[in-house]
Amino acid sequence: MIYPINNGSITNLDAFLYFLKAIYKSVLQQRIKENPEGWEAQVSNIPMFLITHYSWSQSEQEILTQFVFESMKLNNFMIMPNSLATSYAFGSLQNCVVIDIGGAHTDIIPIVDYTPLEYLAYSAPVGGDAINAKLASFLPGWSAASIEDLKRSSVFEVLSKDAKDKSKFNFNEDEEASEEDEGALDVAAIITSGRDTREILEERERNKNKEQVSNSQLETNSFVDRDGNDVTVGKQRFQGCDDLIKEISRACGMVLSQIDEGSRCKAVWENVLISGGTSEIAGFREALLTQLCEDHLIYEPDHERQQREQDLMANMPKQRKNKFIGGAVAQSGFLNSLEYAQSPNIIKAPKFPEYFTEWKKHGYGEVAFLGAQIVSKQVFGHSNDTFYVTRGKYDDKGPSVIWDVCL
């Protein structure tokens, strides 16, 4: 088995070029069927938009450009870094940090003034696979496929501290699985019912979702695995993510601490973009933001805040000072938000975009593709060719022209 890309990096360029051409042709398969004689002419007039990884070298991207124009015979081509595409999905954020969680790695890329700081980017050697490994230690009798199905199911989630406190489980105890918690298959009743197995299991899943009792209040819960079996699981459905979350938080703090200018660093912390399939786990994003706050948020000491408020009030014009009479200074939070210089004193994530409503059903784990969809509509939707390579530009300057137009 050949993997042209591993952890975001190109590991076999020839295989990747072949893969790229095969995928592109498959996407246009319907057009080829409609006009088998002239499919090459059709393909050449359809632009390609390629999302890149920060680890791709300049040489690799120039070879890709050459391949698109000379081997695939396309007329228009554009590339965009994955991190920048993610920021565009949220409305083209000027300053942010992208945390993209893969299977075996997590990319952390700060963006300042719309520019990915790729020299600060870091790929932490942990990802969603770490959850599977942890679950395997809790559920030693389970196959790798069953563990993956559990992780992708609606019953697997990361609980907040409040939810843990209200849960029937004692999460302060050592997280060791007992034999009775390892899960069980219950298919006898389904087999004897005479009904379609998949139909019954999907109906049960829907009914469970309608129950008023929350997942965290149930001692056990069930999900349907890839083979159509109803699998029951205990507290393990709330475990396995803690170590990954802590490591991502540590790595994020390390990366952002290298941004020299305080105001820029503060602005980046106020837009934390969490993407990747693992981020779709219920409660994962919230738990990661909570961990980031616990590890990195800076609170102003009370005596410093009081002194700062007194100094500002003393120097404030009388007319403006009257607006803050009666303790309004403390209530408004005006001074806290504007005057305290150390950062980060705010860590938060932006709201998911309201446009492209089909993504609400799809989920925002692969939000970079939403950003690419937005940009491609803007860039290729009119005659301005400033941001992409045309056949004419390529013929004039060759593969290096990609650096004249990339965002």
Side-chain angles (χ1 to χ4, degrees), residues 15-62:
F16 181 58
L17 295 175
Y18 181 86
F19 175 77
L20 191 65
K21 190 170 185 177
I23 290 295
Y24 198 76
K25 283 187 176 181
S26 69
V27 170
L28 301 173
Q29 186 175 13
Q30 187 58 42
R31 289 177 180 254
I32 297 172
K33 287 181 178 179
E34 293 172 357
N35 186 4
E37 299 298 326
W39 71 268
E40 289 189 2
Q42 293 183 49
V43 169
S44 65
N45 291 320
I46 298 175
M48 174 180 283
F49 188 107
L50 183 64
I51 297 177
T52 64
H53 189 262
Y54 78 89
S55 66
W56 296 8
S57 69
Q58 179 174 328
S59 173
E60 287 171 337
Q61 294 182 62
E62 289 182 5

Side-chain angles (χ1 to χ4, degrees), residues 231-271:
V231 184
T232 302
V233 64
K235 67 185 287 186
Q236 296 87 356
R237 68 188 188 275
F238 306 119
Q239 298 173 312
C241 295
D242 289 351
D243 290 347
L244 173 61
I245 287 171
K246 290 176 181 177
E247 178 57 25
I248 292 175
S249 175
R250 184 203 66 79
C252 188
M254 178 195 69
V255 170
L256 298 193
S257 67
Q258 299 177 73
I259 300 177
D260 294 331
E261 189 174 337
S263 61
R264 300 281 178 83
C265 185
K266 181 179 185 296
V268 167
W269 276 111
E270 292 179 8
N271 288 302

Side-chain angles (χ1 to χ4, degrees), residues 159-189:
L159 296 182
S160 65
K161 186 178 183 303
D162 289 342
K164 285 182 177 181
D165 291 341
K166 295 175 183 177
S167 171
K168 294 179 180 293
F169 303 110
N170 182 1
F171 285 96
N172 294 320
E173 293 179 348
D174 291 337
E175 295 180 319
E176 295 181 358
S178 60
E179 290 184 5
E180 60 268 21
D181 283 335
E182 286 185 13
L185 304 180
D186 182 15
V187 296

